[in-house]
Amino acid sequence: MTDRLPGFATLAIHAGAQPDPTTGARSTPIYQTTSFVFNDADHAASLFGLQAFGNIYTRIGNPTNAVLEERVAALEGGTAALAVASGHAAQMVTFQALLQPGDEFIAARQAYGGTINQFTHTFKSFGWNVVWADADDIASFERAVTPRTKAIFIESIANPGGSITDIEAVAAVARKAGVPLIVDNTLASPYLIRPIDHGADIVLHSATKFLGGHGTSIAGIIVDAGTFDWSRDNKYPILSEPRPEYHGIKLQETFGNFAFAIACRVIGLRDLGPALSPFNAFMILTGIETLPLRVQRHSDNAKAVAEFLSTHPAVAAVNYSGLSSSRYYNLARKYAPKGAGAVFTFSLKGGYDAGVNLVSNLKLFSHLANVGDTRSLVIHPASTTHSQLDDAAKTKAGAGPDIVRVSIGIEDKEDIIADLDQALRG
Ligand SMILES: *Cc1c(COP(=O)(O)O)cnc(C)c1O
């Protein structure tokens, strides 16, 4: 062994895992069990009182899920992570730990359609008030800060527009406001962008997408950067005040730089209940082993497809941050030098009808509501993922009526391009 720190590809395969101590199994076993036997009554009491770490019940933790958590924390450069049932559950559990009814958070409106929906309607019903900002206008975040602001939320690469957010600039606003920066890193994956290196305090994933990578399993991850002081000003009582159900311990005081991950587990996951099935954790773990290979290939293919589309006579515009013509090109070179990801949008000269025709003529592409599958995927956001928004909000979110979104797969790029070419002729 050398003193070398393991590289990203090595961590993607090994972080968090070891041969099973009982059987020697090399792959992480699926611990498909709801509950775990205590050694004795004292052991049980100490687990329930958070005086010892260990397995109790799979709603709160499971050994297969724990390997996934440790692996993603390592890949993102965080102190700890929590796996939950979906990307949306990751957002719900995160905000539950931070907000009291009546509080506000600022979010970039360049966001996944489901996130806009969750924040606007369901979070509102909890008394958590979203204030929208424009990821292309850093001053809009500053203007949105009030004494009730408890967090700032952005996507590193925004879904569906594929735009790159200036994470360091937004992190500076968050630091000045004394609130954590939450970055949804779903579209980039830690292979392309590690938001913690640029000032993020919490990183979220829909592991459903590139981490799993094969379109088989829904999952979400919360990563704690360990960077935020939760006890300042008592703004985050769940983390700073005594917890009656845990003998009055204060989570920040007891767990230090992984207190946020603990709070999400022992309060949010325990009480809201969106536990990840160990089977799905296994599927995501297996996907992560090839993350660097897949995401590099996704990005290389996407760049080739974007270049093809940008010279095509039927195409009005291609919004891919990896093209030098993109307004995000410099941000892409800074934050995602290995590639700008697989997901981008383009618009057709024929407008809405041409978009609908294209989607129906494609053969290799699958028409569906997902990204980050090995397969090439296409969707018309205006009539699907973003259909609940009005036209102005659609356009602001990068999902206007003439826009088509693609998630470029890892097939042969010549086949992907040929399929688009025949469909555009169609
Ligand atoms: C898909 C997605 C989500 C929601 O994740 P689920 O796993 O579907 O709940 C959140 N953010 C982004 C950027 C996504 O692409």
Side-chain angles (χ1 to χ4, degrees):
M1 289 295 283
T2 66
D3 293 337
R4 248 184 76 81
L5 286 175
F8 190 92
T10 304
L11 291 173
I13 294 168
H14 292 284
Q18 52 186 318
D20 182 61
T22 310
T23 62
R26 179 61 270 203
S27 279
T28 297
I30 303 169
Y31 288 96
Q32 193 69 27
T33 179
T34 53
S35 25
F36 302 85
V37 177
F38 306 120
N39 301 342
D40 53 40
D42 284 348
H43 178 225
S46 66
L47 289 175
F48 272 90
L50 296 185
Q51 279 112 7
F53 290 109
N55 300 306
I56 301 174
Y57 188 62
T58 286
R59 170 151 46 74
I60 300 162
N62 174 282
T64 310
N65 300 22
V67 177
L68 173 61
E69 288 157 353
E70 208 174 310
R71 186 160 309 167
V72 178
L75 293 175
E76 288 285 4
T79 52
L82 178 68
V84 294
S86 68
H88 270 8
Q91 294 175 181
M92 176 181 68
V93 169
T94 294
F95 281 100
Q96 195 276 333
L98 300 178
L99 303 189
Q100 301 295 312
D103 281 345
E104 294 172 3
F105 66 101
I106 302 166
R109 64 165 67 90
Q110 288 86 348
Y112 174 64
T115 294
I116 296 176
N117 234 7
Q118 185 192 43
F119 289 180
T120 306
H121 303 294
T122 300
F123 279 15
K124 182 116 202 166
S125 76
F126 301 161
W128 306 343
N129 299 309
V130 64
V131 180
W132 296 105
D134 180 352
D136 297 333
D137 174 12
I138 300 303
S140 72
F141 289 90
E142 261 168 296
R143 285 196 300 274
V145 173
T146 77
R148 298 230 69 149
T149 305
K150 293 292 171 69
I152 298 181
F153 177 96
I154 57 174
E155 294 183 2
S156 52
I157 300 182
N159 185 356
S163 55
I164 311 265
T165 308
D166 190 345
I167 302 171
E168 288 174 14
V170 183
V173 176
R175 253 194 312 281
K176 199 166 147 215
V179 302
L181 175 64
I182 305 167
V183 178
D184 179 336
N185 200 32
T186 298
L187 257 54
S189 90
Y191 176 71
L192 295 178
I193 301 180
R194 298 210 322 166
I196 292 170
D197 295 345
H198 302 291
D201 300 294
I202 297 163
V203 174
L204 303 183
H205 278 279
S206 169
T208 313
K209 315 294 169 54
F210 291 95
L211 293 181
H214 295 71
T216 63
S217 315
I218 303 279
I221 311 266
I222 302 164
V223 182
D224 185 350
T227 43
F228 197 82
D229 176 7
W230 304 104
S231 53
R232 225 176 350 153
D233 312 328
N234 234 19
K235 258 159 91 169
Y236 303 96
I238 288 181
L239 284 128
S240 62
E241 304 227 311
R243 292 303 306 184
E245 75 274 58
Y246 295 122
H247 309 296
I249 66 166
K250 298 177 180 171
L251 295 177
Q252 156 101 61
E253 196 179 273
T254 308
F255 297 104
N257 70 357
F258 57 102
F260 184 75
I262 293 280
C264 288
R265 183 190 302 283
V266 305
I267 315 277
L269 189 56
R270 182 197 64 179
D271 291 352
L272 301 170
L276 178 64
S277 137
F279 180 80
N280 281 8
F282 172 84
M283 295 301 282
I284 306 293
L285 266 176
T286 305
I288 289 174
E289 294 187 5
T290 55
L291 181 74
L293 296 172
R294 283 186 293 103
V295 173
Q296 189 62 60
R297 168 81 166 216
H298 276 294
S299 283
D300 294 347
N301 279 358
K303 181 145 190 278
V305 171
E307 278 164 358
F308 162 76
L309 289 170
S310 64
T311 59
H312 199 285
V315 174
V318 179
N319 311 304
Y320 185 57
S321 304
L323 292 183
S324 57
S325 57
S326 166
R327 64 178 289 191
Y328 302 104
Y329 185 61
N330 287 333
L331 287 171
R333 293 219 312 188
K334 170 173 179 174
Y335 287 105
K338 293 199 284 279
V343 178
F344 67 92
T345 61
F346 58 98
S347 56
L348 293 166
K349 289 184 183 151
Y352 185 93
D353 293 340
V356 170
N357 276 341
L358 173 72
V359 166
S360 4
N361 290 342
L362 285 165
K363 297 191 171 84
L364 180 64
F365 278 77
S366 306
H367 179 203
L368 53 74
N370 191 24
V371 298
D373 195 320
T374 49
R375 297 155 191 81
S376 289
L377 314 175
V378 65
I379 201 162
H380 181 230
S383 58
T384 55
T385 52
H386 287 63
S387 61
Q388 72 283 359
L389 306 179
D390 62 34
D391 276 357
K394 277 178 187 151
T395 303
K396 279 182 185 157
D402 55 337
I403 295 278
V404 174
R405 182 189 75 189
V406 286
S407 173
I408 301 301
I410 59 176
E411 302 99 334
D412 290 298
K413 64 175 183 286
E414 294 79 8
D415 292 328
I416 303 170
I417 290 171
D419 192 34
L420 282 163
D421 197 30
Q422 68 75 24
L424 287 167
R425 270 178 231 275

